[in-house]
């Protein structure tokens, strides 16, 4: 999948694999594996650039009522879905890679990229659940610095060298071989988050940026800041800029889809989404209000056939 200036592509966060009460639909707790498979296959044949999976190791009781405890492991989930799809990319949105040693992370994701024929996009983020960090012995307060070094270490460990090297403050390795190597010459690393630290990290270290919760009114200023920081750092490689679109429903629903949901005909939805292109966005993460797996896959298919062809007119 190529991400070109002036063109929009689209992907989606998978349902079922993460079930926070903030965004999960009512049918998801009773969903089955075959539902997840059919959703991934629908994305694959409907032109979606990627399907995405979140990352949490364990949820403390104080957050369980809101976040739930259902968070599928991204390596296991995306590897499984790689076997039932053909072209769609496999994104971690986001992987809290600071929870694990970079060589452990690299081993898992290099294998995933190898088995999927080079479809991995490694989205990374700092994380926000202190108890997870405490449980695995990682400094929560210093998680930003941990992530900065982890990204550097992963760039080495996910490259083409069988015996990668990294010499940092926390992690040092050399003379240790890992195969299989990734199928891609360079696994893209997209940085998630909209804090000043996350924008800086994306600008200086990322191949892509995954903002989290930036409204349309604030996104242009964030993108300008990102580009300014990247230029100041002397990074010349292009960066893939993303956004999360508002929830949508194609057509006129006969049920309450929520105050902020975009509804209507394909032309109106495409016109709204094209605003992101004028801001400099390359990929939009779409999400659909739905009451069942069938309604979701119908919405996905309709987006692929009716809305997507109008995104770049």
């Amino acid at each position: 999948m190529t991400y070109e200036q002036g063109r929009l592509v689209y992907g989606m966060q998978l349902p079922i694999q993460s079930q926070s009460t903030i965004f999960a639909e009512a049918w998801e707790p009773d969903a089955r594996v075959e539902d997840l498979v059919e959703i991934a296959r629908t994305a694959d044949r409907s032109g979606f650039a990627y399907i995405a999976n979140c990352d949490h190791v364990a949820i403390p009781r104080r957050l369980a009522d809101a976040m739930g405890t259902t968070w599928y492991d991204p390596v296991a989930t995306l590897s499984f879905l790689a076997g039932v799809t053909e072209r769609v990319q496999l994104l971690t949105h986001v992987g809290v890679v600071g929870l694990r040693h970079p060589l452990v992370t690299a081993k898992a994701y290099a294998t995933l990229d190898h088995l999927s024929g080079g479809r991995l996009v490694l989205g990374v983020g700092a994380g926000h659940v202190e108890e997870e960090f405490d449980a695995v012995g990682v400094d929560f307060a210093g998680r930003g610095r941990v992530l900065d070094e982890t990204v550097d270490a992963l760039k080495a460990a996910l490259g083409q060298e069988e015996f990668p090297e990294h010499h940092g403050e926390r992690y040092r390795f050399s003379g240790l071989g890992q195969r299989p190597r990734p199928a891609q010459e360079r696994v893209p690393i997209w940085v998630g988050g909209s804090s000043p630290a996350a924008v800086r990290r994306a600008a200086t270290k990322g191949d892509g940026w995954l903002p989290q919760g930036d409204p349309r009114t604030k996104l242009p200023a964030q993108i300008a800041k990102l580009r300014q920081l990247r230029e100041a750092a002397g990074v010349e490689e292009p960066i893939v800029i993303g956004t999360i679109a508002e929830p949508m429903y194609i057509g006129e629903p006969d049920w309450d889809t929520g105050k902020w949901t975009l509804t209507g005909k394909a032309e109106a939805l495409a016109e709204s989404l094209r605003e992101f292109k004028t801001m400099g966005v390359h990929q939009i993460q779409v999400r659909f209000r739905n009451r069942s797996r069938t309604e979701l896959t119908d919405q996905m298919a309709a987006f692929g056939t009716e809305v997507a062809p109008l995104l770049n007119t």
Side-chain angles (χ1 to χ4, degrees), residues 212-292:
Q212 189 71 33
D214 284 302
R216 295 191 189 209
T217 54
K218 294 184 178 180
L219 192 58
Q222 287 277 67
I223 293 173
K225 183 64 174 178
L226 175 85
R227 295 196 182 281
Q228 178 186 2
L229 290 169
R230 197 167 180 86
E231 182 178 357
V235 182
E236 297 181 354
E237 290 84 1
I239 185 168
V240 177
I241 296 173
T243 194
I244 300 175
E246 301 87 348
M248 71 183 71
Y249 191 94
I250 303 165
E252 297 298 338
D254 57 4
W255 58 286
D256 183 8
T257 57
K259 180 179 179 181
W260 305 110
T261 302
L262 303 176
T263 63
K265 295 182 178 180
E267 293 83 356
L269 293 174
E271 182 179 5
S272 177
L273 296 175
R274 285 197 299 267
E275 291 182 8
F276 290 117
K277 183 166 59 173
T278 66
M279 300 177 193
V281 169
H282 303 101
Q283 65 89 5
I284 51 173
Q285 188 168 119
V286 296
R287 43 190 171 158
F288 307 95
R289 293 302 319 278
N290 60 91
R291 295 163 295 177
S292 67

Side-chain angles (χ1 to χ4, degrees), residues 94-162:
V94 289
V96 188
V97 292
L99 292 173
R100 308 163 182 90
H101 191 286
L103 282 180
V104 174
T105 298
K107 182 68 172 183
Y109 283 112
T111 303
L112 167 54
D113 194 64
H114 173 78
L115 291 173
S116 68
R119 290 194 273 151
L120 171 65
V121 179
L122 184 57
V124 303
H128 66 94
V129 179
E130 185 171 0
E131 289 90 339
E132 284 185 307
F133 286 78
D134 292 342
V136 299
V138 178
D139 176 24
F140 178 75
R143 65 194 184 281
R145 295 187 299 276
V146 171
L147 178 56
D148 282 339
E149 184 177 341
T150 299
V151 170
D152 292 338
L154 286 172
K155 287 182 178 180
L158 287 172
Q160 289 299 300
E161 292 296 327
E162 181 180 355

Side-chain angles (χ1 to χ4, degrees), residues 10 21 39 54 69 180-181 226 248 255 274 285 294:
Y10 54 97
T21 59
I39 291 162
C54 297
T69 57
R181 303 310 305 152
L226 175 85
M248 71 183 71
W255 58 286
R274 285 197 299 267
Q285 188 168 119
T294 300

